Amino acid sequence: VLQHDTVLQPDQCGGALIGLHGKAVGINIARAGRISTYALPSSLVVPLIETMKQAAEQNDQDSSDSQ
């Protein structure tokens, strides 16, 4: 988990954490008090997204095959 000091509103959790070079480096997941915010690093999130996409594609294919 990454900790950073970007000030977020509670409804902004789930958004991208952007680094100095404009790349997404994580996803904001929680705000603690007024200053500390936590994010999951993209190196953790990207493989999970790929796994979920593959599972969804397989599910769509299985659904199409059963019709």
Side-chain angles (χ1 to χ4, degrees), residues 4-27:
H4 58 93
D5 61 356
T6 303
V7 178
L8 296 177
Q9 298 300 320
D11 63 341
Q12 293 173 318
C13 288
L17 175 62
I18 306 298
L20 294 175
H21 300 290
K23 290 184 83 175
V25 296
I27 296 177

Side-chain angles (χ1 to χ4, degrees), residues 25-65:
V25 296
I27 296 177
N28 292 306
I29 58 167
R31 187 180 82 148
R34 294 180 175 216
I35 298 173
S36 297
T37 304
Y38 299 95
L40 293 176
S42 59
S43 61
L44 177 70
V45 176
V46 170
L48 293 173
I49 292 171
E50 291 301 323
T51 300
M52 288 187 284
K53 285 171 51 177
Q54 290 174 357
E57 289 170 358
Q58 183 64 44
N59 190 29
D60 286 346
Q61 186 177 26
D62 292 346
S63 294
S64 295
D65 291 343

